[in-house]
Amino acid sequence: LYSDISPLLKDPAAFRTLIDLLEDHLRASFPKIDFIAGLDSRGFLIGPPVAQRLGIGFVLIRKKGKLPGPTESVSYALEYGKAELEIQSDAVEPGQKVVIVDDSGATGGTMCAACELLKRLEAEVLECLVVIELKPLKGSEKLKSVPFYSLLQYD
């Protein structure tokens, strides 16, 4: 089952409400965040407006081969095969506080890989945040000690 956020993106009032809700959650949960990290590709649609509202920067976590310059890379398993994610080596500094954002959380493989990349850069992952969580796939359980937040959950 694929959860499509396209209708949300087409409706400016609904999208504004989404960004409001995410901003409110992050402001209430964390006194200091240095960056929002967005996952390729729908995290790129949600993360920048949230980061802009919070007055912080946004960093990209992309599929392998899409980023310029030196990168850190990690391989991970998908429901249907394998993939690799990358982050630029200078995207964050050690100790900086980061929230990872994506549109949906399913099996947790991509989110775990993103956490691993940020760990290699010695950043502190405050939370993994998604709009939609597919609970039966138990992806949030794979994150272990990293807090996970979802606006909508489907059983």
Side-chain angles (χ1 to χ4, degrees):
L1 176 66
Y2 181 76
S3 300
D4 182 14
I5 65 162
S6 297
L8 182 67
L9 299 172
K10 287 172 51 175
D11 182 332
F15 187 67
R16 184 173 39 257
T17 299
L18 168 67
I19 301 306
D20 290 345
L21 290 168
L22 297 178
E23 176 191 6
D24 291 348
H25 163 72
L26 291 174
R27 285 190 188 281
S29 300
F30 305 106
K32 180 174 181 0
I33 303 169
D34 295 303
F35 291 104
I36 299 292
L39 298 183
D40 197 344
S41 69
R42 290 175 205 89
F44 299 172
L45 303 172
I46 300 161
V50 173
Q52 192 274 329
R53 292 262 192 101
L54 296 173
I56 60 176
F58 177 79
V59 297
L60 303 166
I61 298 178
R62 297 212 61 188
K63 295 173 183 127
K64 185 168 180 62
K66 303 289 186 182
L67 292 171
T71 61
E72 288 288 325
S73 178
V74 66
S75 294
Y76 64 102
L78 294 168
E79 311 85 279
Y80 45 83
K82 288 194 169 205
E84 281 187 76
L85 282 183
E86 290 184 324
I87 190 169
Q88 288 176 299
S89 299
D90 62 354
V92 298
E93 298 294 323
Q96 288 187 309
K97 299 173 185 315
V98 181
V99 172
I100 303 170
V101 175
D102 203 5
D103 66 326
S104 65
T107 64
T110 306
M111 202 60 87
C112 285
C115 288
E116 174 62 27
L117 286 173
L118 288 161
K119 180 181 173 184
R120 288 182 189 178
L121 297 180
E122 300 178 37
E124 179 184 349
V125 178
L126 298 174
E127 183 174 78
C128 295
L129 184 153
V130 297
V131 178
I132 300 166
E133 178 184 6
L134 304 175
K135 301 266 309 169
L137 299 178
K138 301 181 180 184
S140 63
E141 294 175 14
K142 291 181 185 166
L143 294 169
K144 298 178 177 108
S145 64
V146 178
F148 182 84
Y149 180 79
S150 57
L151 282 178
L152 297 170
Q153 302 83 35
Y154 290 103
D155 289 318

